[in-house]
Amino acid sequence: MLGSTGTDVVYACAGLGALGAAILPTALAKRPLSLPMVFLAAGFLVFLLPLDALPTLDPIRHRSAVEHLTEVCVVVALMGAGLAINRPPGYHTWSTTWRLLGLAMPLTILLTAAVAGWLVGWPPAVALLVAAALAPTDPVLAAEVRVGEPTDEEDDEDEVRFALTSEAGLNDGLAFPFVLAAIALTTASATGWSTDGLWHWVWSDILVRSVVGLAVGLGVGRLLGRMFFQASWTALRLAEHREGFVALAATLTAYGLTELLHGYGFIAVFVAACTIRNAERGHRYHRVMHAFTDQIERLLTAVILFLVGGFIADGGLAALTWRGAVLGLALFLLIRPAVGWAVQIGGKAAGKERAAIAFFGIRGIGSFFYLAYALGAAQFAAPARELWAVVTFTVLLSVLLHGVTATPVTTRLDRSAPDGPGEQRPADQDRSA
């Protein structure tokens, strides 16, 4: 339990953090800074102060707390991302997304795992785990390169923001089979590998769980969409009540039901959000729900990154080797840009857009969740502190590298684009962090 001094410090930090989450998005707009950068630095500096009463969150000793805190943050962000996308799902309209999901992500995992095994010397299960944890692009830390609030125009999105938002919305769930493969691989190293295990992974972990997530997301989204906008009973037609927290109800319902059915809840939440959006695309209630999820997401992001900064200040990167650091650099400077560029050849994005989509493979809160989840499910043949150091360094690198470059790059793309879909709207400016 915290003493009175410790409690007071926590209250003060929480209050100042909440104010910062409200003020900074507008204050930092058009500047090469981001909300994640500020809160990460704040946590680092505050935890360097001689305040023994500050609570620390060690990802090893408090693994379960880290897992669930990051889990909530990701699912809230997925709902917000799905509600914000104006472009209806389709094979051709989402062609860039399908390329990034079906080709870029598995290739990135394979190449990252290969580099990790060769450079760091990790066994296959450990290399695959780190590669899978770092595979999904993040819907939380990507505010500058995400679409803005919902609008009435289906084509009111440039290809860069749309592709990065839709990719982040789906690849958090699609990375799960590779994390489960790493868990199965490390377990098989003690019990022996069999072809039955491989078929179980393909059938259950890839196909069945993904289909369950898709089906529940569609079902929940359609049911809630009809209820929100078309219910004959006024009490159920929640779009007329304009209660933003209903978005949180939809998020938790879709996620909880899917997980109970052993499906991928991340997929279900994003699909449910897109389905609710399609139920009555032009209704202003989408903006109300999106605004609520955006506020919750910013608060959770501030808390998590403040604690990550504290973890770094307390020596969280002490176990990082130069080989682990090179692995993170290779992912951002070589693997993701090369793979992201290659899979878009012949696609919808033009040269500059293609380069921006390939470069902004932002890693963040989802990587923390996957690592915490996996380390709670199995024992891996590598020190947990080393794995946390590598993943934390990579997220730190993403926060700094992408945080500094996002605003200048997107501003330049907006200026070079013709008036219309590629032009940044006020809503996007408001979301810039």
Side-chain angles (χ1 to χ4, degrees), residues 254-275:
Y255 188 75
L257 288 177
T258 306
E259 292 294 318
L260 285 173
L261 296 173
H262 304 289
Y264 291 136
F266 288 164
I267 294 177
V269 170
F270 184 74
V271 171
C274 292
T275 306

Side-chain angles (χ1 to χ4, degrees), residues 28 41 91 106 151 157 164 170 176 179 187 190 228 237 266 272 305 317 324 363 371:
L28 299 178
Y91 178 78
T151 68
E157 293 165 343
L164 293 172
L170 284 169
F176 231 125
V179 174
T187 303
F228 292 170
R237 201 161 57 248
F266 288 164
L305 290 179
L317 298 183
R363 268 62 183 178
L371 184 59

Side-chain angles (χ1 to χ4, degrees), residues 153-167:
E153 301 296 329
E154 294 182 359
D155 61 348
D156 195 19
E157 293 165 343
D158 63 85
E159 194 65 20
V160 173
R161 290 185 177 88
F162 164 75
L164 293 172
T165 304
S166 56
E167 178 195 15

Side-chain angles (χ1 to χ4, degrees), residues 84-121:
I85 292 178
N86 298 317
R87 193 179 304 184
Y91 178 78
H92 294 291
T93 55
W94 285 42
S95 60
T96 304
T97 308
W98 308 138
R99 289 168 180 257
L100 293 171
L101 294 173
L103 297 174
M105 191 179 74
L107 286 174
T108 299
I109 292 175
L110 292 176
L111 289 174
T112 305
V115 172
W118 168 72
L119 179 64
V120 188

Side-chain angles (χ1 to χ4, degrees), residues 65-262:
V66 171
E67 177 186 341
H68 294 303
L69 181 60
T70 54
E71 182 180 29
V72 172
C73 187
V74 171
V75 296
V76 171
L78 291 174
M79 175 59 66
L83 290 173
I85 292 178
N86 298 317
R87 193 179 304 184
Y91 178 78
H92 294 291
T93 55
W94 285 42
S95 60
T96 304
T97 308
W98 308 138
R99 289 168 180 257
L100 293 171
L101 294 173
L103 297 174
M105 191 179 74
L107 286 174
T108 299
I109 292 175
L110 292 176
L111 289 174
T112 305
V115 172
W118 168 72
L119 179 64
V120 188
W122 285 327
V126 177
L128 180 58
L129 170 61
V130 173
L134 294 174
T137 55
D138 200 81
V140 179
L141 305 187
E144 297 88 345
V145 291
R146 271 168 46 178
V147 298
E149 67 178 18
T151 68
D152 297 337
E153 301 296 329
E154 294 182 359
D155 61 348
D156 195 19
E157 293 165 343
D158 63 85
E159 194 65 20
V160 173
R161 290 185 177 88
F162 164 75
L164 293 172
T165 304
S166 56
E167 178 195 15
L170 284 169
N171 65 11
D172 270 296
L174 295 178
F176 231 125
F178 297 95
V179 174
L180 295 177
I183 294 172
L185 191 59
T186 194
T187 303
S189 62
T191 61
W193 185 256
S194 67
T195 55
D196 290 340
L198 177 61
W199 284 114
H200 178 272
W201 177 71
V202 173
W203 170 253
S204 177
D205 294 341
I206 294 181
L207 296 177
V208 174
R209 294 191 180 202
S210 297
V211 170
V212 170
L214 177 62
V216 175
L218 285 171
V220 170
R222 287 178 178 174
L223 178 62
L224 294 181
R226 290 180 64 86
M227 184 178 78
F228 292 170
F229 304 105
Q230 302 171 18
S232 56
W233 187 20
T234 305
L236 292 179
R237 201 161 57 248
L238 295 175
E240 297 182 3
H241 299 210
R242 305 185 66 80
E243 299 284 4
F245 68 85
V246 171
L248 186 60
T251 302
L252 299 179
T253 299
Y255 188 75
L257 288 177
T258 306
E259 292 294 318
L260 285 173
L261 296 173
H262 304 289

